[in-house]
Amino acid sequence: MSDDKPARDPLDGSAIRRRLEDGVETFEATIQGETIQWDRGLTYSRHLQTEQLLNSQVPVSDKPDEMLFIIMHQTMELWIKLMLHEVRVAMTDLREDKLENAGKTLDRIATIMRHMIHSWEVLATLSPHDFMTFRGFLRKASGFQSDQYRELEFLLGLKRADLVLVHHENAEITERLNAALAAPSLYDEVLQVLARTGHTIPDALLERDLTQPYEPNAAVEEAWLTIYKNPEEHWALYSLGEKITALEYYFQEWRFKHMKTVSRVIGHKHGTGGSSGVAYLVKALDLHFFPELWTMRTRMDAAKEGGDYSECPYS
């Protein structure tokens, strides 16, 4: 149902045609040769909540470079939120033995991580002087207080209960982090997959206290070694192992770029939250989510093949 007379856009005089579509008032106009439509239902800004999003940058100083600092960290939090969602999707697929589906999601998470790695280069344009103009306004606010980052670490398998203490004044966050601490991690689900596919994983490991840090296990390393020595025979598990290894590889690269960016901007000062700053970030580079996938590689070897090459035509 269309109006008898098209409305006139007050800005440029172009005709706006109106009609009801599925009970929703719908608009249409020809703009630069394109037929553009919109309605009073779901809009771009309503779907993405752009008004709230673009009004959530609230500087605490009048220094121009603080905006970069805020937006940089807000985008990080959004990507971490997406990774939390995607990790849970992958874990659901692993529980249902849908390894190909889980692999697709793990590839997406690795791609997100690669994007986040490059994003540090934007923050690195902040010179030491630029940062010092507003650092004092931040007081004790610190990335150490990111509850989403902590939840992601727990979800990937790095369980450290004492880190929940930072959030003790927020009951909702504390409850969520404690739930993640007590729940199976991505690596726990992978170990269950290994056990279900006939690999020897100790019952004590499969039924362990999930709130405690994971300890590397010789039987798990042996299982991965068997898989990696015979990839054709165990292709689905070999592929899964490579995908979660890639995830940790990029996560560690993200940590490294974080550390180097902090070093470039503030040197070896302590963090605003009291940590040792760069020194603390360096220690994080030794933390592993999937330890046996790394130690197993040292045990792999290659048989001697080929001749003595004494007749090689080039010297």
Side-chain angles (χ1 to χ4, degrees), residues 4 81 117 175 188 260 298:
D4 293 334
K81 181 174 183 176
I117 289 164
E175 182 180 0
D188 288 317
K260 295 305 292 184
T298 306

Side-chain angles (χ1 to χ4, degrees), residues 242-276:
E242 282 297 274
K243 289 179 188 298
I244 64 173
T245 299
L247 178 57
E248 179 159 338
Y249 175 84
Y250 291 123
F251 202 102
Q252 288 291 64
E253 191 173 351
W254 183 87
R255 283 172 168 160
F256 179 79
K257 287 294 288 286
H258 183 190
M259 179 270 293
K260 295 305 292 184
T261 301
V262 171
S263 177
R264 175 173 177 166
V265 176
I266 69 169
H268 285 261
K269 292 182 180 67
H270 275 65
T272 49
S275 75
S276 55

Side-chain angles (χ1 to χ4, degrees), residues 164-184:
V164 181
L165 291 172
V166 176
H167 308 282
H168 77 281
E169 291 187 346
N170 189 311
E172 182 180 345
I173 290 176
T174 297
E175 182 180 0
R176 177 160 47 83
L177 290 180
N178 281 330
L181 193 68

Side-chain angles (χ1 to χ4, degrees), residues 45-75:
S45 60
R46 189 173 298 158
H47 182 211
L48 300 185
Q49 298 292 292
T50 53
E51 183 176 354
Q52 294 89 326
L53 183 66
L54 299 177
N55 282 304
S56 64
Q57 294 74 46
V58 185
V60 293
S61 77
D62 60 351
K63 310 306 178 185
D65 292 303
E66 189 188 352
M67 185 61 76
L68 164 62
F69 188 85
I70 292 172
I71 291 178
M72 167 69 186
H73 287 84
Q74 285 182 337
T75 55

Side-chain angles (χ1 to χ4, degrees), residues 19-20 27 34-35 94 103 105 108 112 116 127 132 134 145 182 196 202 231 258-259 265 288 292 296 305 310 313 315:
R19 67 177 186 277
L20 285 178
F27 307 94
E34 300 287 340
T35 300
L94 289 174
T105 302
R108 175 179 292 173
I112 295 168
M116 291 176 66
S127 73
M132 290 307 146
F134 65 86
Q145 300 158 7
R196 289 196 299 271
H258 183 190
M259 179 270 293
V265 176
H288 287 288
E292 296 90 352
M296 169 274 302
E305 298 183 87
S310 60
S315 60

Side-chain angles (χ1 to χ4, degrees), residues 90 94 98-108 110 186-187 190 193-194 197 199 223-248 250 290 293 296-297 300:
L94 289 174
K98 298 177 180 177
L99 301 193
E100 288 190 8
N101 291 9
K104 178 178 181 295
T105 302
L106 291 169
D107 284 342
R108 175 179 292 173
L186 173 65
Y187 199 41
V190 169
V193 169
L194 293 183
T197 50
H199 295 275
W224 283 122
L225 188 61
T226 298
I227 292 165
Y228 270 69
K229 282 185 173 180
N230 304 277
E232 294 83 5
E233 183 181 345
H234 307 284
W235 184 258
L237 295 176
Y238 174 78
S239 179
L240 176 62
E242 282 297 274
K243 289 179 188 298
I244 64 173
T245 299
L247 178 57
E248 179 159 338
Y250 291 123
F290 322 122
L293 274 163
M296 169 274 302
R297 283 164 159 76
M300 294 188 72

Side-chain angles (χ1 to χ4, degrees), residues 106-234:
L106 291 169
D107 284 342
R108 175 179 292 173
I109 299 167
T111 302
I112 295 168
M113 285 303 313
R114 291 198 298 272
H115 175 82
M116 291 176 66
I117 289 164
H118 291 300
S119 69
W120 285 117
E121 296 173 12
V122 179
L123 191 63
T125 64
L126 199 65
S127 73
H129 173 267
D130 295 337
F131 187 44
M132 290 307 146
T133 62
F134 65 86
R135 188 181 194 242
F137 289 89
L138 302 181
R139 303 300 176 89
K140 290 179 170 49
S142 162
F144 200 91
Q145 300 158 7
S146 170
D147 55 281
Q148 282 204 133
Y149 177 79
R150 203 62 64 202
E151 185 178 3
L152 182 60
E153 283 193 326
F154 291 173
L155 210 56
L156 293 177
L158 191 60
K159 304 289 186 76
R160 297 181 290 175
D162 56 345
L163 293 173
V164 181
L165 291 172
V166 176
H167 308 282
H168 77 281
E169 291 187 346
N170 189 311
E172 182 180 345
I173 290 176
T174 297
E175 182 180 0
R176 177 160 47 83
L177 290 180
N178 281 330
L181 193 68
S185 70
L186 173 65
Y187 199 41
D188 288 317
E189 297 295 353
V190 169
L191 296 182
Q192 293 286 349
V193 169
L194 293 183
R196 289 196 299 271
T197 50
H199 295 275
T200 303
I201 307 297
D203 289 340
L205 195 60
L206 298 174
E207 300 167 3
R208 69 187 183 86
D209 180 356
L210 298 175
T211 65
Q212 297 303 305
Y214 177 79
E215 295 292 339
N217 184 278
V220 174
E221 182 178 300
E222 199 65 36
W224 283 122
L225 188 61
T226 298
I227 292 165
Y228 270 69
K229 282 185 173 180
N230 304 277
E232 294 83 5
E233 183 181 345
H234 307 284

